[in-house]
Amino acid sequence: MSSEFTCKKSTVEKYDIRWNRGEWALFTIDLETNTMQCHSSFGDYAYSWSSPGESFKRFLIGLEKDCGYLLNKVSRPVFDFDESIKRWKEMIIDYRRDGSIDKEAARDCWQVVVDCESYGVEEEGYCYSIVADSSTITEHFFDAWETFAGVKTFPAAAMTFGKVIWPMLCKVLREEQEQQP
């Protein structure tokens, strides 16, 4: 193992945001590497952008308008069991209404989804194996794995970061920008 390495020391800007009796977010922004890090009471988030195309702070402020983009950079969506079950049931109803499947097929497919729901295992792979691998479903839905893709959402803490904490930082950065000549 080689003991050679390099180290470069740099200065970052730190923003310490506090609200609601104990909630907190500590941001560091590195203007040299276009890196944003946040350690907060709602989790840790970080990302480095290679070429933001404008001043890094202005770029960060612009992300307030696109929470989905921001969250895709700093978090990962997770399988939403309840929304997936709801979507699958609505889809079966829609297919029945438009005549894509008959009443008996709709009833059989509905039962597969209800069975999945009743097992109470909210793990994505398990639900897919029950629903999309079901012979009842595959008989009536050609591409069951795509048709019955689960709904994915960001964790609640990440949503709080994007919808509550990020706008606070953007407000501070905007005020900072307005005070500059």
Side-chain angles (χ1 to χ4, degrees):
M1 182 172 153
S2 173
S3 62
E4 294 182 37
F5 65 92
T6 62
C7 176
K8 181 180 178 186
K9 182 179 176 182
S10 64
T11 303
V12 297
E13 296 183 21
K14 179 177 127 184
Y15 297 84
D16 190 347
I17 301 172
R18 308 285 171 153
W19 74 101
N20 281 356
R21 296 186 185 158
E23 301 298 352
W24 54 274
L26 179 61
F27 282 91
T28 57
I29 296 176
D30 186 333
L31 299 174
E32 190 175 311
T33 62
N34 298 323
T35 300
M36 176 284 305
Q37 299 173 333
C38 177
H39 179 58
S40 77
S41 53
F42 288 90
D44 300 330
Y45 306 92
Y47 196 77
S48 296
W49 286 267
S50 57
S51 299
E54 58 188 319
S55 85
F56 188 52
K57 287 184 182 179
R58 195 164 303 150
F59 172 76
L60 294 176
I61 292 167
L63 295 180
E64 185 177 13
K65 296 176 186 163
D66 195 350
C67 185
Y69 171 82
L70 174 65
L71 291 180
N72 273 307
K73 296 298 184 188
V74 301
S75 184
R76 287 196 172 98
V78 295
F79 178 68
D80 188 323
F81 177 78
D82 294 331
E83 284 301 312
S84 294
I85 294 291
K86 180 180 170 186
R87 180 176 171 265
W88 295 338
K89 287 178 176 179
E90 289 170 352
M91 189 171 38
I92 292 167
I93 291 168
D94 290 344
Y95 273 69
R96 174 64 186 118
R97 281 189 181 139
D98 73 12
S100 297
I101 57 176
D102 63 26
K103 185 177 181 179
E104 183 180 343
R107 186 180 313 115
D108 292 345
C109 292
W110 186 275
Q111 190 58 51
V112 170
V113 173
V114 168
D115 289 346
C116 178
E117 184 177 26
S118 69
Y119 296 146
V121 179
E122 298 184 8
E123 198 275 320
E124 181 177 18
Y126 181 78
C127 289
Y128 284 166
S129 68
I130 293 200
V131 176
D133 280 346
S134 158
S135 59
T136 302
I137 297 287
T138 56
E139 180 182 333
H140 302 290
F141 295 90
F142 170 72
D143 205 352
W145 277 93
E146 284 189 31
T147 306
F148 283 85
V151 174
K152 296 201 175 199
T153 57
F154 289 100
M159 291 299 292
T160 300
F161 172 77
K163 300 278 187 182
V164 177
I165 299 171
W166 191 258
M168 288 184 214
L169 174 68
C170 290
K171 181 177 189 240
V172 171
L173 294 178
R174 265 192 305 279
E175 291 169 357
E176 191 177 90
Q177 297 270 314
E178 289 168 3
Q179 292 175 1
Q180 290 181 350

